[in-house]
Amino acid sequence: MKRILSGVQPSGKPHIGNYLGAMRQHIEMQKNYECFLFIADLHALTTVREPQTLRELSIELALDYLALGLDPKKVTYFRQSDLPEHAELCWILGCITPFSVLERGHAWKDAREKQTKDPTVGLFNYPVLMAADILLYKPDLVPVGQDQKQHVEIARDIGQKFNRRFGEVFKIPEPYIRKDVATVMGTDGRKMSKSYGNTIEIFAPEKELKKQIMGIVTDSTPVEDPKDPTSCTVFNIFKYFADKKEEKELEEKYKKGGCGYGDSKIKLYEKILTYFEEPRKKRIELSMNLDYVEEVLKKGAESARAVAADTLKQVKDKVGIPTT
Ligand code: TYM
């Protein structure tokens, strides 16, 4: 059975970009792959500064995954910070990673260009920690959205460099990116992102969800005029959730005219509510049993450790660090 590994940062509430671009694939793949999935809380430390917020967002993310159908009997689901192996391997890999590679990292470049703050070493080193996350588990595939492609490529380069220099330890994985959902757009037409404030959250309360959807930016074509569906964010998001027939119907309405953007937003709101109806119910039930969630994470960490500790031992042997 092939193995996958992926993580999501608990840096905010997961949105439909996270879901369509990554989480949905993770849950589907549990049927046919050996899955290692985790809460990337060490990565979230680069942006979240409130300890209580980080704790809550981490548990909430676990709740979200479980509600969406992650089966902890099939998946090794864990919290990154429960395994010190990640940070330890990160240091070792950092010692063979050229500075210039990280300078070209897009998250780093963005932070530099915005110059809104003094970017941290953690942000600079972010791709090395991600390389450690990936390489520790020797996965075949890393299912992510397009924005993480560069990070997976950096992980591959670091892994290859290590293998060449010290001898084979790491498997070199492929990114797995579904073209149709590689970059889901947000309510303002840019990439949907927690940091742009343009998200539609999977589990937002109904009122909030409606507000997010009604806030989608549209042009000023009058209600009665025909509209171009392909350039409309509402339509483009609707397509992700609708079947072919529903998509065609809305497309016709746009082209015919007489359908305002307000109407299509309501359609989208109803569609998303229906789509996530079961997970929404399940999430409420699960949220009443947080001990169960902690138990899942504890067991997940134990299983993950068996793999991570073994890889780290091989790495230490190769580089000349004692293993106990
Ligand atoms: P994060 O938390 O930003 O996003 C989680 C996943 O959601 C995908 N994604 C999107 N896909 C399509 N359209 C969008 N608008 C969109 N926004 C986000 C992301 O590509 C990602 O797959 N660095 C990672 C977390 C991480 C990780 C790892 C992933 C840490 N270590 C090891 C894989 C392997 C991140 O910040 O994802």
Side-chain angles (χ1 to χ4, degrees):
M1 211 187 224
K2 289 204 167 174
R3 183 180 285 182
I4 67 159
L5 170 125
S6 199
V8 176
Q9 283 193 78
S11 51
K13 305 235 166 89
H15 51 72
I16 60 169
N18 298 131
Y19 177 73
L20 297 165
M23 297 167 83
R24 187 167 68 177
Q25 278 71 267
H26 301 163
I27 290 161
E28 274 169 15
M29 289 170 108
Q30 69 188 357
K31 294 188 208 124
N32 309 318
Y33 290 83
E34 187 190 1
C35 299
F36 287 81
L37 298 173
F38 68 96
I39 302 167
D41 58 346
L42 295 177
H43 278 106
L45 271 182
T46 57
T47 51
V48 182
R49 296 281 179 258
E50 288 298 323
Q52 191 51 21
T53 306
L54 186 58
R55 268 179 225 119
E56 280 169 18
L57 286 173
S58 299
I59 285 296
E60 295 212 1
L61 180 55
L63 273 176
D64 297 339
Y65 257 112
L66 291 167
L68 288 166
L70 180 143
D71 179 354
K73 291 199 200 77
K74 295 194 179 128
V75 174
T76 300
Y77 188 60
F78 61 99
R79 185 167 33 209
Q80 184 187 30
S81 62
D82 282 339
L83 286 115
E85 287 83 356
H86 288 241
E88 215 175 330
L89 181 61
C90 173
W91 177 260
I92 297 173
L93 296 180
C95 295
I96 59 160
T97 306
F99 200 84
S100 58
V101 168
L102 300 186
E103 271 181 323
R104 289 195 293 272
H106 63 69
W108 175 252
K109 278 195 348 207
D110 278 0
R112 295 299 309 177
E113 275 155 25
K114 280 189 205 136
Q115 297 210 333
T116 45
K117 53 183 189 285
D118 195 9
T120 61
V121 177
L123 193 64
F124 186 68
N125 216 27
Y126 187 108
V128 185
L129 180 58
M130 187 156 155
D133 299 338
I134 296 172
L135 296 171
L136 267 180
Y137 297 91
K138 305 186 179 177
D140 299 281
L141 298 175
V142 182
V144 284
Q146 181 67 27
D147 60 349
Q148 297 300 315
K149 186 165 187 257
Q150 187 192 35
H151 289 151
V152 181
E153 279 161 1
I154 294 176
R156 284 169 54 89
D157 289 348
I158 296 176
Q160 277 161 344
K161 190 162 184 195
F162 184 98
N163 286 349
R164 271 200 309 272
R165 177 71 187 76
F166 295 104
E168 282 297 310
V169 171
F170 299 125
K171 186 163 204 164
I172 307 304
E174 298 288 334
Y176 175 86
I177 300 170
R178 277 198 35 180
K179 278 207 185 69
D180 54 333
V181 285
T183 306
V184 173
M185 62 171 92
T187 54
D188 59 359
R190 292 186 293 170
K191 182 192 91 162
M192 187 173 288
S193 166
K194 291 165 203 163
S195 52
Y196 294 158
N198 63 357
T199 62
I200 298 174
E201 290 163 14
I202 309 170
F203 291 107
E206 290 182 19
K207 213 169 145 196
E208 181 58 31
L209 184 71
K210 194 165 188 180
K211 198 168 144 211
Q212 290 170 356
I213 293 173
M214 297 316 277
I216 296 175
V217 179
T218 48
D219 62 29
S220 53
T221 316
V223 175
E224 60 278 8
D225 287 11
K227 299 173 188 66
D228 173 19
T230 54
S231 64
C232 174
T233 307
V234 186
F235 181 77
N236 283 321
I237 298 180
F238 185 82
K239 266 189 350 192
Y240 292 127
F241 296 99
D243 59 30
K244 283 282 158 228
K245 186 168 160 267
E246 292 165 325
E247 181 187 328
K248 195 91 209 130
E249 268 169 25
L250 191 61
E251 189 180 341
E252 296 301 321
K253 277 198 170 169
Y254 266 73
K255 288 186 178 159
K256 222 167 87 198
C259 161
Y261 290 121
D263 294 344
S264 53
K265 286 177 185 176
I266 294 288
K267 261 194 174 354
L268 175 62
Y269 168 65
E270 285 165 357
K271 188 84 222 151
I272 290 183
L273 265 190
T274 320
Y275 188 92
F276 291 110
E277 193 178 343
E278 282 307 314
R280 281 176 161 269
K281 277 194 207 139
K282 200 165 162 199
R283 197 181 187 287
I284 295 172
E285 283 166 31
L286 282 163
S287 65
M288 291 182 233
N289 193 359
L290 293 183
D291 288 349
Y292 167 72
V293 181
E294 281 297 348
E295 191 57 28
V296 166
L297 293 177
K298 194 166 155 244
K299 286 212 179 108
E302 280 162 18
S303 316
R305 185 162 303 117
V307 178
D310 184 53
T311 307
L312 187 63
K313 184 172 176 304
Q314 293 170 31
V315 168
K316 285 181 169 176
D317 274 339
K318 293 279 189 208
V319 301
I321 287 177
T323 54
T324 43

